[in-house]
mmCIF file of all heavy atoms in Angstrom:
data_model
loop_
_atom_site.group_PDB
_atom_site.id
_atom_site.type_symbol
_atom_site.label_atom_id
_atom_site.label_comp_id
_atom_site.label_asym_id
_atom_site.label_seq_id
_atom_site.Cartn_x
_atom_site.Cartn_y
_atom_site.Cartn_z
ATOM 1 N N ALA I 251 70.518 42.969 -47.569
ATOM 2 C CA ALA I 251 71.771 42.449 -48.126
ATOM 3 C C ALA I 251 72.368 41.390 -47.210
ATOM 4 O O ALA I 251 72.964 40.417 -47.672
ATOM 5 C CB ALA I 251 72.764 43.587 -48.351
ATOM 6 N N LYS I 255 74.218 37.551 -48.043
ATOM 7 C CA LYS I 255 75.684 37.665 -48.114
ATOM 8 C C LYS I 255 76.336 36.511 -47.365
ATOM 9 O O LYS I 255 76.112 36.326 -46.174
ATOM 10 C CB LYS I 255 76.118 39.001 -47.509
ATOM 11 C CG LYS I 255 77.592 39.305 -47.679
ATOM 12 C CD LYS I 255 77.929 40.700 -47.152
ATOM 13 C CE LYS I 255 79.384 41.051 -47.409
ATOM 14 N NZ LYS I 255 79.755 42.322 -46.766
ATOM 15 N N ASN I 299 87.676 40.754 -49.867
ATOM 16 C CA ASN I 299 86.774 39.658 -49.527
ATOM 17 C C ASN I 299 87.219 38.350 -50.168
ATOM 18 O O ASN I 299 88.074 38.315 -51.056
ATOM 19 C CB ASN I 299 85.311 40.010 -49.823
ATOM 20 C CG ASN I 299 85.036 40.267 -51.282
ATOM 21 O OD1 ASN I 299 85.743 39.743 -52.152
ATOM 22 N ND2 ASN I 299 84.035 41.060 -51.573
ATOM 23 N N TYR I 301 85.624 34.318 -51.176
ATOM 24 C CA TYR I 301 84.526 33.359 -51.300
ATOM 25 C C TYR I 301 85.142 31.976 -51.424
ATOM 26 O O TYR I 301 85.901 31.714 -52.360
ATOM 27 C CB TYR I 301 83.679 33.629 -52.544
ATOM 28 C CG TYR I 301 82.891 34.936 -52.521
ATOM 29 C CD1 TYR I 301 83.519 36.150 -52.798
ATOM 30 C CD2 TYR I 301 81.533 34.938 -52.243
ATOM 31 C CE1 TYR I 301 82.806 37.343 -52.784
ATOM 32 C CE2 TYR I 301 80.803 36.132 -52.229
ATOM 33 C CZ TYR I 301 81.454 37.322 -52.498
ATOM 34 O OH TYR I 301 80.747 38.493 -52.484
ATOM 35 N N TYR I 307 77.069 35.701 -52.931
ATOM 36 C CA TYR I 307 76.387 36.920 -52.459
ATOM 37 C C TYR I 307 75.208 37.125 -53.406
ATOM 38 O O TYR I 307 75.411 37.416 -54.590
ATOM 39 C CB TYR I 307 77.356 38.109 -52.488
ATOM 40 C CG TYR I 307 76.930 39.325 -51.698
ATOM 41 C CD1 TYR I 307 77.858 40.306 -51.359
ATOM 42 C CD2 TYR I 307 75.618 39.512 -51.267
ATOM 43 C CE1 TYR I 307 77.499 41.431 -50.632
ATOM 44 C CE2 TYR I 307 75.252 40.630 -50.542
ATOM 45 C CZ TYR I 307 76.199 41.589 -50.219
ATOM 46 O OH TYR I 307 75.838 42.705 -49.503
ATOM 47 N N GLY I 308 74.001 36.921 -52.882
ATOM 48 C CA GLY I 308 72.801 37.009 -53.708
ATOM 49 C C GLY I 308 72.566 38.410 -54.245
ATOM 50 O O GLY I 308 73.286 39.369 -53.913
ATOM 51 N N MET I 309 71.566 38.528 -55.079
ATOM 52 C CA MET I 309 71.252 39.814 -55.723
ATOM 53 C C MET I 309 71.042 40.915 -54.679
ATOM 54 O O MET I 309 70.298 40.740 -53.731
ATOM 55 C CB MET I 309 69.984 39.616 -56.543
ATOM 56 C CG MET I 309 69.472 40.892 -57.111
ATOM 57 S SD MET I 309 69.552 40.950 -58.871
ATOM 58 C CE MET I 309 68.454 39.658 -59.346
ATOM 59 N N HIS I 310 71.716 42.034 -54.882
ATOM 60 C CA HIS I 310 71.580 43.163 -53.941
ATOM 61 C C HIS I 310 71.994 44.443 -54.655
ATOM 62 O O HIS I 310 72.536 44.415 -55.761
ATOM 63 C CB HIS I 310 72.458 42.936 -52.702
ATOM 64 C CG HIS I 310 73.935 42.975 -53.002
ATOM 65 N ND1 HIS I 310 74.607 41.900 -53.539
ATOM 66 C CD2 HIS I 310 74.854 43.962 -52.876
ATOM 67 C CE1 HIS I 310 75.875 42.222 -53.712
ATOM 68 N NE2 HIS I 310 76.050 43.471 -53.331
ATOM 69 N N VAL I 311 71.716 45.551 -53.988
ATOM 70 C CA VAL I 311 72.244 46.831 -54.461
ATOM 71 C C VAL I 311 73.088 47.386 -53.316
ATOM 72 O O VAL I 311 72.746 47.202 -52.143
ATOM 73 C CB VAL I 311 71.098 47.787 -54.892
ATOM 74 C CG1 VAL I 311 70.265 48.245 -53.711
ATOM 75 C CG2 VAL I 311 71.627 48.969 -55.683
ATOM 76 N N ASP I 312 74.225 48.011 -53.642
ATOM 77 C CA ASP I 312 75.113 48.500 -52.585
ATOM 78 C C ASP I 312 74.461 49.675 -51.855
ATOM 79 O O ASP I 312 73.658 50.420 -52.432
ATOM 80 C CB ASP I 312 76.462 48.913 -53.185
ATOM 81 C CG ASP I 312 77.243 47.716 -53.711
ATOM 82 O OD1 ASP I 312 76.927 46.576 -53.312
ATOM 83 O OD2 ASP I 312 78.172 47.919 -54.523
ATOM 84 N N ALA I 313 74.831 49.824 -50.584
ATOM 85 C CA ALA I 313 74.262 50.911 -49.767
ATOM 86 C C ALA I 313 74.556 52.256 -50.430
ATOM 87 O O ALA I 313 75.670 52.487 -50.909
ATOM 88 C CB ALA I 313 74.865 50.863 -48.374
ATOM 89 N N MET I 316 77.645 55.517 -47.298
ATOM 90 C CA MET I 316 78.572 54.677 -46.525
ATOM 91 C C MET I 316 79.416 55.556 -45.611
ATOM 92 O O MET I 316 79.789 56.670 -45.986
ATOM 93 C CB MET I 316 79.513 53.930 -47.472
ATOM 94 C CG MET I 316 78.785 53.013 -48.421
ATOM 95 S SD MET I 316 79.956 52.175 -49.499
ATOM 96 C CE MET I 316 78.846 51.057 -50.329
ATOM 97 N N SER I 330 80.702 51.511 -58.188
ATOM 98 C CA SER I 330 81.284 50.379 -57.464
ATOM 99 C C SER I 330 82.367 49.766 -58.345
ATOM 100 O O SER I 330 82.284 49.833 -59.575
ATOM 101 C CB SER I 330 80.218 49.315 -57.175
ATOM 102 O OG SER I 330 79.179 49.847 -56.379
ATOM 103 N N THR I 332 85.158 46.253 -58.583
ATOM 104 C CA THR I 332 85.727 44.998 -58.072
ATOM 105 C C THR I 332 87.077 44.776 -58.740
ATOM 106 O O THR I 332 87.173 44.833 -59.974
ATOM 107 C CB THR I 332 84.800 43.801 -58.407
ATOM 108 O OG1 THR I 332 83.552 43.974 -57.729
ATOM 109 C CG2 THR I 332 85.425 42.479 -57.969
ATOM 110 N N LEU I 346 80.723 37.582 -61.229
ATOM 111 C CA LEU I 346 79.978 38.780 -60.823
ATOM 112 C C LEU I 346 78.941 39.045 -61.909
ATOM 113 O O LEU I 346 79.298 39.206 -63.081
ATOM 114 C CB LEU I 346 80.947 39.967 -60.688
ATOM 115 C CG LEU I 346 80.348 41.342 -60.425
ATOM 116 C CD1 LEU I 346 79.595 41.392 -59.097
ATOM 117 C CD2 LEU I 346 81.460 42.408 -60.429
ATOM 118 N N TYR I 367 81.345 49.788 -62.322
ATOM 119 C CA TYR I 367 79.935 49.809 -62.741
ATOM 120 C C TYR I 367 79.118 50.704 -61.816
ATOM 121 O O TYR I 367 79.562 50.985 -60.690
ATOM 122 C CB TYR I 367 79.372 48.379 -62.790
ATOM 123 C CG TYR I 367 79.450 47.619 -61.488
ATOM 124 C CD1 TYR I 367 78.350 47.547 -60.639
ATOM 125 C CD2 TYR I 367 80.622 46.974 -61.094
ATOM 126 C CE1 TYR I 367 78.415 46.864 -59.430
ATOM 127 C CE2 TYR I 367 80.697 46.286 -59.900
ATOM 128 C CZ TYR I 367 79.596 46.231 -59.075
ATOM 129 O OH TYR I 367 79.668 45.553 -57.879
ATOM 130 N N SER I 369 76.837 52.068 -59.016
ATOM 131 C CA SER I 369 76.417 51.479 -57.739
ATOM 132 C C SER I 369 74.914 51.251 -57.693
ATOM 133 O O SER I 369 74.426 50.525 -56.830
ATOM 134 C CB SER I 369 76.828 52.389 -56.582
ATOM 135 O OG SER I 369 78.229 52.536 -56.547
ATOM 136 N N SER I 371 73.312 49.612 -59.818
ATOM 137 C CA SER I 371 72.992 48.338 -60.485
ATOM 138 C C SER I 371 72.739 47.232 -59.469
ATOM 139 O O SER I 371 73.468 47.098 -58.479
ATOM 140 C CB SER I 371 74.169 47.865 -61.341
ATOM 141 O OG SER I 371 74.760 48.909 -62.035
ATOM 142 N N LEU I 372 71.735 46.405 -59.762
ATOM 143 C CA LEU I 372 71.580 45.162 -59.010
ATOM 144 C C LEU I 372 72.706 44.230 -59.442
ATOM 145 O O LEU I 372 73.040 44.165 -60.631
ATOM 146 C CB LEU I 372 70.226 44.525 -59.324
ATOM 147 C CG LEU I 372 69.011 45.186 -58.671
ATOM 148 C CD1 LEU I 372 67.730 44.724 -59.343
ATOM 149 C CD2 LEU I 372 68.977 44.889 -57.182
ATOM 150 N N HIS I 373 73.297 43.524 -58.484
ATOM 151 C CA HIS I 373 74.388 42.610 -58.843
ATOM 152 C C HIS I 373 74.470 41.478 -57.834
ATOM 153 O O HIS I 373 73.884 41.547 -56.757
ATOM 154 C CB HIS I 373 75.717 43.367 -58.953
ATOM 155 C CG HIS I 373 76.102 44.116 -57.717
ATOM 156 N ND1 HIS I 373 75.582 45.345 -57.410
ATOM 157 C CD2 HIS I 373 76.931 43.803 -56.701
ATOM 158 C CE1 HIS I 373 76.081 45.761 -56.267
ATOM 159 N NE2 HIS I 373 76.907 44.830 -55.800
ATOM 160 N N GLN I 374 75.189 40.439 -58.208
ATOM 161 C CA GLN I 374 75.361 39.289 -57.319
ATOM 162 C C GLN I 374 76.670 38.581 -57.656
ATOM 163 O O GLN I 374 77.232 38.785 -58.735
ATOM 164 C CB GLN I 374 74.192 38.317 -57.461
ATOM 165 C CG GLN I 374 73.987 37.779 -58.860
ATOM 166 C CD GLN I 374 72.725 36.919 -58.953
ATOM 167 O OE1 GLN I 374 72.597 35.923 -58.263
ATOM 168 N NE2 GLN I 374 71.802 37.329 -59.807
ATOM 169 N N VAL I 375 77.130 37.779 -56.722
ATOM 170 C CA VAL I 375 78.302 36.932 -56.960
ATOM 171 C C VAL I 375 77.820 35.491 -56.848
ATOM 172 O O VAL I 375 77.297 35.078 -55.808
ATOM 173 C CB VAL I 375 79.431 37.207 -55.942
ATOM 174 C CG1 VAL I 375 80.611 36.253 -56.166
ATOM 175 C CG2 VAL I 375 79.900 38.654 -56.032
ATOM 176 N N ILE I 387 86.961 45.231 -53.198
ATOM 177 C CA ILE I 387 85.824 46.015 -53.687
ATOM 178 C C ILE I 387 85.943 47.427 -53.123
ATOM 179 O O ILE I 387 86.458 47.627 -52.020
ATOM 180 C CB ILE I 387 84.467 45.372 -53.296
ATOM 181 C CG1 ILE I 387 84.420 45.087 -51.797
ATOM 182 C CG2 ILE I 387 84.234 44.083 -54.069
ATOM 183 C CD1 ILE I 387 83.055 44.627 -51.327
ATOM 184 N N TRP I 389 84.257 51.771 -53.519
ATOM 185 C CA TRP I 389 83.162 52.624 -53.970
ATOM 186 C C TRP I 389 83.677 54.043 -54.176
ATOM 187 O O TRP I 389 84.579 54.488 -53.458
ATOM 188 C CB TRP I 389 82.040 52.639 -52.935
ATOM 189 C CG TRP I 389 81.472 51.275 -52.722
ATOM 190 C CD1 TRP I 389 80.431 50.701 -53.392
ATOM 191 C CD2 TRP I 389 81.939 50.278 -51.798
ATOM 192 N NE1 TRP I 389 80.233 49.422 -52.936
ATOM 193 C CE2 TRP I 389 81.128 49.135 -51.970
ATOM 194 C CE3 TRP I 389 82.964 50.238 -50.835
ATOM 195 C CZ2 TRP I 389 81.313 47.979 -51.213
ATOM 196 C CZ3 TRP I 389 83.148 49.084 -50.104
ATOM 197 C CH2 TRP I 389 82.319 47.977 -50.294
HETATM 198 NI NI1 LIG U 774 77.703 44.650 -53.852
#
Side-chain angles (χ1 to χ4, degrees):
K255 187 175 184 187
N299 63 26
Y301 293 79
Y307 196 163
M309 173 114 64
H310 67 280
V311 68
D312 292 342
M316 299 180 173
S330 300
T332 296
L346 173 62
Y367 58 98
S369 299
S371 319
L372 285 164
H373 57 279
Q374 58 185 301
V375 177
I387 52 173
W389 299 270

